[in-house]
Amino acid sequence: MSDAVAVALAFTILFLLMIGTVYLVMLIAPRRPTPGKLMRYEAGNPETGPAKAPLAMQYLGYILMLVALEPAVAIPLAVQMAFKDLALTAAAALIGGVVAVAASLYGYHYAKKIELWRASA
């Protein structure tokens, strides 16, 4: 048995055990829905009025910064592993760094928009 087959078999067995456990818990767990259990909660408290927005847009800037920085690290590493060329890796890191800095600056300025942080009445 090759290593790839052994790893695939182990992952398949673990995946099937995980799915089986989820279904077993669903069968065993008691279901007694009450109005309190079915009610929506915000930060652990019952909601007191209409939602401000369906999505908290004030965090979008931080999400953009995270999404920009992750590929800036991963792409040069992938290029280095694939091509083993230092100049190509340095070029990929430089391009990724420039893109990450530009996207991070945009995300930072977007996150600083104070009107997104105020509750609309």
Side-chain angles (χ1 to χ4, degrees):
M1 180 182 304
S2 71
D3 290 342
V5 172
V7 170
L9 184 62
F11 276 118
T12 303
I13 291 171
L14 289 173
F15 180 74
L16 292 175
L17 284 173
M18 180 182 67
I19 297 296
T21 303
V22 168
Y23 280 116
L24 183 65
V25 167
M26 287 174 56
L27 289 174
I28 295 172
R31 290 184 189 90
R32 292 185 194 101
T34 63
K37 288 180 183 177
L38 299 175
M39 201 163 100
R40 286 188 44 182
Y41 287 90
E42 294 180 9
N45 299 315
E47 63 181 36
T48 57
K52 183 176 100 173
L55 177 64
M57 295 305 291
Q58 67 263 31
Y59 298 115
L60 182 64
Y62 297 109
I63 293 169
L64 289 173
M65 285 190 276
L66 173 70
V67 170
L69 292 176
E70 195 171 349
V73 173
I75 290 173
L77 288 175
V79 168
Q80 174 61 32
M81 286 190 279
F83 298 108
K84 307 260 191 271
D85 183 14
L86 185 60
L88 189 59
T89 303
L94 182 64
I95 292 169
V98 169
V99 170
V101 167
S104 294
L105 286 174
Y106 174 76
Y108 178 74
H109 289 296
Y110 188 90
K112 297 294 282 184
K113 289 183 181 178
I114 196 67
E115 64 269 9
L116 296 174
W117 291 85
R118 293 192 179 127
S120 58

